[in-house]
Amino acid sequence: MAARSCRVTIQDAEGVSHTVEVTAASLYEAVAHGLAAFRGNEWIADVGERFGVVKVSVAEVRVEHEVKLKDFTAWLERSGRSPREIIDRQKIRAILGLPITC
């Protein structure tokens, strides 16, 4: 799958929306790059990673997606069913600085 330019938006614990531009080959990869960019940013209060919603807007033909962070986390913690799913999860765990599992 080709990487696409995406706009990732999340609302912090204080109700402020933050947006970052990332390049990603999948929806969940875009979420991971966005979360990685937001983490540690002094302007962003806690983003409530277990219960918040991340909005992803893809640039080519602008399509927006909302992903519940609990669904993203559940997907990331599941075992892959195919070699591609395993590789996708490993890649996203690496983006987030998490241990790589098989």
Side-chain angles (χ1 to χ4, degrees):
M1 186 182 299
R4 297 181 179 144
S5 177
C6 303
R7 189 175 297 147
V8 179
T9 303
I10 194 164
Q11 198 171 57
D12 68 19
E14 296 174 0
V16 178
S17 289
H18 304 276
T19 302
V20 65
E21 297 278 337
V22 302
T23 301
S26 71
L27 174 60
Y28 280 169
E29 185 179 337
V31 172
H33 278 301
L35 289 175
F38 295 136
R39 284 186 180 156
N41 187 310
E42 62 190 46
W43 285 18
I44 301 174
D46 178 40
V47 293
E49 290 187 23
R50 295 298 283 185
F51 302 106
V53 173
V54 179
K55 184 183 290 185
V56 177
S57 179
V58 180
E60 282 87 67
V61 176
R62 184 69 57 191
V63 176
E64 290 194 7
H65 305 273
E66 288 190 5
V67 176
K68 291 180 182 174
L69 285 168
K70 67 179 183 171
D71 293 342
F72 171 75
T73 301
W75 176 86
L76 193 57
E77 291 172 354
R78 274 195 313 262
S79 296
R81 289 177 244 166
S82 69
R84 179 175 176 102
E85 283 187 13
I86 292 168
I87 291 168
D88 287 347
R89 283 181 176 80
Q90 289 174 341
K91 182 177 182 180
I92 289 170
R93 291 182 70 77
I95 291 167
L96 293 171
L98 298 173
I100 305 299
T101 58
C102 294

